[in-house]
Amino acid sequence: MSHQVALSFEDGVTKFITCAEDQTVADASYRARINIPLDCRDGACGTCKAFCEAGEYDPGFYIEDALTDDEAESGYCLPCQMKPTSDLVLQIASTSAVAKTRAASFTGTLTGLEKLSSTTYALTVSTPDREKLAFLPGQYINFSVPGTEETRSYSFSNGPDEDDLTFLVKITPGGVMSTYLTERAAEGDEVTFTGPNGSFFLREGERPLLLLAGGTGLAPILSILRRLVSQESTRPVHLIYGATTDDDVIELETIEELGSKLETFTWDYCVADEKSSAKNIGYVTALIAAEHLHDGEGTVYLCGPPAMVEAVRTHFSDNGMEPGGFYYEKFALSGTAAAPTSTSATAEEEAPVDDADAVEGVEKEQEPDEATPQAPDPSASVAQAEGLPELTVFERASGIAGQDLFAEIDMEPLGAPAGDAELATADTASRIAGQAFGERFDAEGADVGADVGTVQGGSALLVHDDGTALAGQVFAISTADVEPLVEPSPEAAAATAAASPMASSGRPASIGTGGYEIGEEHPDITKSDAVFDARQALELGAVELTVGRLSSSQLAGYRLLADATLPYVDGETFVDSAAYTETNAAFHEYLFTLTGNEHLLQAYQALGVKGHMAEVLRNATWCDPEVAHDHVKIVEAFDSGDRERVRTLVIEHAERSKTTMRRAMADAGLRVTPAFITPGRFEGKVVLVTGAAQGIGEVTARRISAEGGRVVLADRSDLVDSLAEELRSAARQAASVVGDLETYEGAQAAVDAAVDQFGRLDVAIHTVGGTIWAKPFHEYPADQIEAEINRSLYPTLWGCRAASEQMVKQGHGVIVNVSSVATRGVHRVPYSAAKGGVNAITASLALELAPHGIRVVATAPGGTEAPPRRIPRGPAPEGEQELDWYQAIVDQTVTSSLLKRYGTLDEQASALCFVASDEASYITGTVLPVAGGDLG
């Protein structure tokens, strides 16, 4: 089970991550590229200390020097050790800029535009990505004003669980947003925004609440009230709402309605204008009484202009009133539309948090007199402020896949030029950004001058000795003759060149800040190592920019990500290739994050390494035994500041990655084309194969598919989904169903899937089963005996029950069960009993179903060689005694076989396909041993 963790940073940015119960918050954070403070990773230093606003967690192990008992009691925690047991909200002692976080972008539609008064509008926005927009009550978004390049910030007034997003806007003559609303806005307008932002949000707890709102600062307070209502909160709540004039007073009925749903809610409001008809004329402070703070136990949430915030602070101080917590959001003024400037308010561009007197707050800009938050733009015109030229957008360029993409610029490369690097020209169609990643082919596809190297499995990769330059700069010098660099290195120069401003029409493209766009294209991963060569080149450049410059906290984060890859590799075997791909990607991305150069990271991401690996390694079981350990060694070399060691390890790791990918591609090629095929044997037949995710079931399903069968793949593992997708990509008909085949419901769902998809069921092959443990019968506890029977008998029993009913209705069909010659074997009596049951089912059911035109047969495999299981049956043998028991099974299997060897998956699939086909139409009630002469 996983939980949502909200990380609230000091500058008001909040990021949400998903954290599994067995995962530390720090681990989940770094995998999400959110680099929270970290150092020891062992609960020994306290660098990562955070404050838990809400939620439950296992604090883990730590020493008192890192976190005292008093701190733990107060709610402080160590993300490097804590594991969530519920959703969490954490205050992180860092800014989002340090953590490299950015708010997400969304597109929506203006679905509601209501004029609440002469001075205020209410907006309603819907977005198709609502489920991705998680926010806390009180937070805000940066809203791009349609028709302008301006952004304005507005707090949510809706509750976090409501589908529609609502906001309040104060109309200010000449204001950019105000002009849009009063002159151009219409329902149906497309709008864009980024968020959520802000550290002003409701903290979970039971403390009494004093809510203070000024003007349209009422919006986040309404969001807070709606959350309290949805939680059926019983916290005492008092709201004081202030406005400037009667025209500014809005949403009184909404407040009354929400308040009626809260048991302990009270409220009041006031208007500053002396001519007001309101009961209370004056300011909010006049309505604050000591009892509203509940003897210091109450928490204050205030959203209003700066003067209001300071007035409340002064009021508390002058009257000796000290709340238990004081959270505020105050507005700063921005200009009107008279002088348009870009106000790109990214997450890093928010104003600093006012941390004085341990009081939390956020300052934001607004249009004059507009009581709605608006983010400042400290980064506007940065280039001009630093005396730098504007970024130049070029209409043409050169060098990607033979297309003109980069304009030539008369400039010298940084550092000493390396080799004969030059810009690629339009006729070099085999070059990518100046880099020869693959050899050229003529119009007929013939090789025009490549030396082709072969790889394991017979597939060919293109050799490219000159694949070292990108955009006219050399990324990596020859690995055969690496000399010390005394001047700015070619790698560093190349890294800088890779991140230089340019426009690109190539694909894929990545848009950076300020409209910066990068684009790269590379040969298909199945034809070339180009992607990994390019990654190596980028990483060597990043090494030059980072080695010897990393802080202990950065190294700790790097080490955390390296260690995270280790559990998914065991020797030469992938324990979980998908999880390895995820953690590996996080490790490699982190290096580019450490450069502080977003464009380098974008260049890496544009390579699509993670996607390539996910596709190629999807069904892989083999990997280079050092490929994961390389990550740890690289971090160790960074820690020691050994630049040459880092470079060597990066190069070696790239080679091991390529070897692993080549092997996976070769193995995949063998899987797609079975060793033996009888073309057309299953043409048009609908065949259900249970246990199809791996082993005998997978190979059988592949062969039947290759012989024209329409296959339905069933298993407890969702690996059958990817197998079905793979077969469909080869223009074959395949469906998949994931379920518990040890139950009748799971078996029936598989049969239903076949009938729903293809209209009938011709053949059902039941392969689920296998020994879980190996031990003498008297060593088996009762629960393990039951588990063995459940695994190896019931999937066949229930499968036969579900399939036979459908086939009787049809008046035809074939049921094929998989038994075992181990009905007479050592150290697996429960499994033997289960397979004896399969034999009995086969013989008895054949008698019953023969009058209906249905055959029932079985095969009895002997020992069968297979790659490591991606989904293990059970725990591996532990200790010398268990290993000896397992070895006794192996010895008996080989000894009993006349051929003195294990069989292969293809040999087992051949027998299954034969008895399932029309070639065996006169065979029923028979169990065929497939065990090299061992009859069981």
Side-chain angles (χ1 to χ4, degrees):
M1 182 177 180
S2 60
H3 301 287
Q4 293 294 305
V5 180
L7 304 176
S8 176
F9 293 90
E10 291 177 342
D11 54 358
V13 175
T14 301
K15 292 294 288 184
F16 290 81
I17 61 172
T18 299
C19 186
E21 282 194 337
D22 62 348
Q23 186 179 35
T24 67
V25 171
D27 185 17
S29 175
Y30 273 78
R31 289 196 197 185
R33 289 183 47 234
I34 301 174
N35 310 330
I36 63 176
L38 194 66
D39 203 336
C40 71
R41 302 179 303 125
D42 299 319
C45 70
T47 299
C48 65
K49 189 182 300 179
F51 183 77
C52 183
E53 293 275 355
E56 303 294 330
Y57 57 91
D58 175 357
F61 174 80
Y62 54 85
I63 64 174
E64 190 170 6
D65 287 347
L67 187 68
T68 67
D69 291 342
D70 288 343
E71 288 176 323
E73 184 68 23
S74 299
Y76 287 93
C77 52
L78 300 179
C80 74
Q81 297 297 303
M82 68 186 301
K83 297 179 180 179
T85 56
S86 73
D87 292 350
L88 300 176
V89 177
L90 300 183
Q91 287 184 19
I92 303 299
S94 174
T95 65
S96 62
V98 173
K100 301 295 182 185
T101 62
R102 290 187 180 276
S105 298
F106 299 86
T107 299
T109 302
L110 186 63
T111 57
L113 181 62
E114 181 182 1
K115 188 174 183 180
L116 299 179
S117 72
S118 61
T119 66
T120 309
Y121 275 71
L123 307 185
T124 302
V125 174
S126 64
T127 174
D129 294 323
R130 181 62 182 89
E131 70 279 1
K132 298 179 182 179
L133 177 56
F135 69 92
L136 298 170
Q139 292 188 300
Y140 70 93
I141 61 166
N142 289 325
F143 188 98
S144 297
V145 182
T148 75
E149 296 182 357
E150 302 277 343
T151 61
R152 293 292 183 265
S153 299
Y154 300 103
S155 297
F156 299 97
S157 62
N158 61 290
D161 298 325
E162 298 174 11
D163 290 337
D164 288 332
L165 310 178
T166 58
F167 310 91
L168 301 177
V169 181
K170 174 72 178 294
I171 298 301
T172 303
V176 173
M177 185 65 170
S178 299
T179 300
Y180 164 68
L181 292 178
T182 57
E183 297 180 6
R184 306 189 307 276
E187 292 184 5
D189 285 358
E190 181 176 284
V191 296
T192 59
F193 56 93
T194 59
N197 298 307
S199 61
F200 179 81
F201 57 83
L202 175 66
R203 273 62 174 173
E204 298 294 331
E206 298 302 322
R207 284 178 175 270
L209 301 176
L210 173 59
L211 308 179
L212 307 176
T216 48
L218 179 63
I221 301 301
L222 290 177
S223 182
I224 288 174
L225 287 176
R226 287 181 165 116
R227 167 52 66 87
L228 293 171
V229 169
S230 69
Q231 293 177 332
E232 299 181 351
S233 175
T234 58
R235 299 168 72 173
V237 181
H238 184 71
L239 165 65
I240 304 175
Y241 167 43
T244 303
T245 69
D246 285 347
D247 288 340
D248 299 325
V249 177
I250 56 173
E251 299 283 30
L252 298 185
E253 293 182 1
T254 300
I255 297 172
E256 191 69 39
E257 178 185 357
L258 292 171
S260 68
K261 299 176 182 179
L262 295 170
E263 296 179 5
T264 55
F265 176 79
T266 57
W267 72 289
D268 211 340
Y269 79 99
C270 61
V271 177
D273 186 0
E274 294 181 354
K275 300 177 182 179
S276 171
S277 61
K279 177 180 67 174
N280 301 304
I281 298 177
Y283 298 99
V284 166
T285 50
L287 299 180
I288 299 175
E291 61 263 31
H292 296 146
L293 297 184
H294 295 265
D295 296 325
E297 289 298 315
T299 300
V300 178
Y301 290 83
L302 187 162
C303 187
M308 178 179 176
V309 174
E310 295 307 317
V312 170
R313 279 173 138 176
T314 301
H315 179 78
F316 284 159
S317 177
D318 291 349
N319 291 277
M321 303 164 67
E322 185 176 356
F326 183 19
Y327 303 95
Y328 68 85
E329 188 171 54
K330 65 181 179 180
F331 312 132
L333 299 180
S334 68
T336 66
T341 59
S342 175
T343 58
S344 176
T346 65
E348 282 94 338
E349 296 169 351
E350 295 173 7
V353 174
D354 185 343
D355 214 12
D357 302 321
V359 178
E360 295 193 13
V362 176
E363 298 187 18
K364 298 186 293 186
E365 291 185 346
Q366 64 173 39
E367 293 178 354
D369 300 322
E370 185 177 325
T372 310
Q374 175 187 322
D377 181 26
S379 67
S381 303
V382 170
Q384 293 87 330
E386 296 178 352
L388 299 176
E390 292 265 16
L391 294 182
T392 303
V393 179
F394 300 102
E395 295 182 356
R396 63 171 299 277
S398 63
I400 294 187
Q403 298 183 35
D404 285 344
L405 294 177
F406 305 149
E408 296 186 10
I409 305 174
D410 186 13
M411 60 182 293
E412 295 295 325
L414 298 176
D420 298 323
E422 60 182 20
L423 289 174
T425 57
D427 63 345
T428 57
S430 62
R431 294 179 179 268
I432 299 164
Q435 180 172 353
F437 279 143
E439 302 302 335
R440 290 181 293 129
F441 291 80
D442 62 19
E444 285 72 40
D447 188 351
V448 294
D451 293 323
V452 179
T454 61
V455 298
Q456 187 171 353
S459 58
L461 294 181
L462 303 181
V463 179
H464 42 278
D465 294 333
D466 58 340
T468 59
L470 177 59
Q473 297 283 341
V474 173
F475 256 152
I477 61 177
S478 171
T479 59
D481 186 20
V482 179
E483 297 182 358
L485 301 176
V486 294
E487 297 185 20
S489 70
E491 289 85 77
T496 302
S500 62
M502 58 184 169
S504 173
S505 59
R507 294 180 302 125
S510 176
I511 305 298
T513 56
Y516 175 145
E517 181 174 328
I518 60 175
E520 295 185 36
E521 290 185 0
H522 298 285
D524 187 277
I525 188 68
T526 62
K527 300 177 182 177
S528 172
D529 290 333
V531 168
F532 288 95
D533 289 339
R535 183 184 74 178
Q536 173 187 310
L538 282 170
E539 286 185 322
L540 289 174
V543 167
E544 297 301 319
L545 301 174
T546 55
V547 70
R549 298 179 176 88
L550 303 184
S551 67
S552 61
S553 180
Q554 290 172 321
L555 286 168
Y558 207 6
R559 191 174 293 108
L560 178 73
L561 294 174
D563 290 344
T565 66
L566 298 180
Y568 306 116
V569 172
D570 183 10
E572 295 184 347
T573 303
F574 277 125
V575 176
D576 186 334
S577 61
Y580 175 78
T581 299
E582 286 288 336
T583 54
N584 176 75
F587 173 82
H588 286 281
E589 285 190 0
Y590 186 66
L591 175 61
F592 298 107
T593 300
L594 293 176
T595 66
N597 187 329
E598 184 71 17
H599 298 152
L600 266 184
L601 177 60
Q602 291 172 352
Y604 166 71
Q605 292 173 333
L607 294 175
V609 176
K610 180 180 176 181
H612 290 310
M613 289 181 62
E615 179 66 24
V616 173
L617 300 181
R618 179 170 53 186
N619 296 312
T621 57
W622 184 90
C623 67
D624 187 288
E626 294 299 317
V627 72
H629 292 283
D630 283 343
H631 300 142
V632 177
K633 294 176 183 178
I634 288 172
V635 177
E636 291 173 348
F638 263 103
D639 196 9
S640 65
D642 189 339
R643 170 184 165 280
E644 289 303 321
R645 176 66 175 157
V646 174
R647 284 172 49 82
T648 300
L649 287 169
V650 168
I651 293 168
E652 291 177 350
H653 179 64
E655 289 301 315
R656 281 191 262 271
S657 298
K658 288 187 284 188
T659 299
T660 299
M661 294 285 282
R662 290 171 186 155
R663 172 68 178 268
M665 286 186 285
D667 290 346
L670 294 175
R671 285 195 299 270
V672 170
T673 306
F676 311 108
I677 294 180
T678 302
R681 181 164 52 172
F682 288 94
E683 190 68 39
K685 290 189 179 294
V686 178
V687 183
L688 167 64
V689 182
T690 66
Q694 53 192 346
I696 293 174
E698 178 190 358
V699 174
T700 301
R702 288 181 179 278
R703 178 161 179 177
I704 290 173
S705 176
E707 294 182 1
R710 293 181 285 179
V711 295
V712 178
L713 315 172
D715 203 281
R716 63 189 171 116
S717 167
D718 60 7
L719 290 172
V720 291
D721 293 336
S722 59
L723 175 56
E725 181 182 349
E726 177 187 333
L727 296 178
R728 287 193 294 268
S729 69
R732 301 172 186 173
Q733 296 186 67
S736 59
V737 58
V738 177
D740 183 0
L741 298 174
E742 294 180 9
T743 67
Y744 174 69
E745 292 76 15
Q748 187 63 56
V751 171
D752 290 344
V755 176
D756 292 345
Q757 182 77 17
F758 299 115
R760 66 179 192 275
L761 177 61
D762 298 314
V763 181
I765 301 176
H766 304 127
T767 74
V768 177
T771 302
I772 305 174
W773 295 278
K775 62 182 67 177
F777 188 51
H778 65 271
E779 295 283 348
Y780 271 93
D783 62 324
Q784 291 185 0
I785 293 175
E786 185 176 357
E788 294 276 15
I789 299 299
N790 289 341
R791 176 66 57 80
S792 295
L793 175 61
Y794 280 107
T796 301
L797 182 66
W798 295 131
C800 287
R801 169 63 182 82
S804 62
E805 181 178 1
Q806 175 63 31
M807 291 178 179
V808 168
K809 293 178 183 178
Q810 298 171 173
H812 75 274
V814 180
I815 295 175
V816 181
N817 299 324
V818 174
S819 179
S820 173
V821 296
T823 50
R824 185 174 62 86
V826 299
H827 295 167
R828 43 183 169 168
V829 170
Y831 171 74
S832 298
K835 289 304 184 181
V838 171
N839 291 345
I841 293 170
T842 302
S844 298
L845 193 58
L847 289 172
E848 287 189 11
L849 297 182
H852 298 280
I854 301 168
R855 295 190 300 114
V856 184
V857 293
T859 66
T864 305
E865 290 182 349
R869 296 180 64 85
R870 285 164 283 165
I871 306 297
R873 290 196 181 106
E878 294 182 0
E880 186 174 340
Q881 181 62 79
E882 289 190 5
L883 289 170
D884 287 344
W885 289 337
Y886 185 79
Q887 187 60 45
I889 293 177
V890 175
D891 293 342
Q892 186 204 23
T893 300
V894 175
T895 301
S896 300
S897 168
L898 299 183
L899 297 179
K900 304 304 178 188
R901 68 173 176 86
Y902 269 49
T904 68
L905 292 175
D906 283 309
E907 288 170 334
Q908 298 298 339
S910 293
L912 281 169
C913 290
F914 166 69
V915 298
S917 73
D918 291 341
E919 297 176 59
S921 59
Y922 198 54
I923 300 175
T924 190
T926 300
V927 178
L928 173 65
V930 189
D934 183 1
L935 302 181

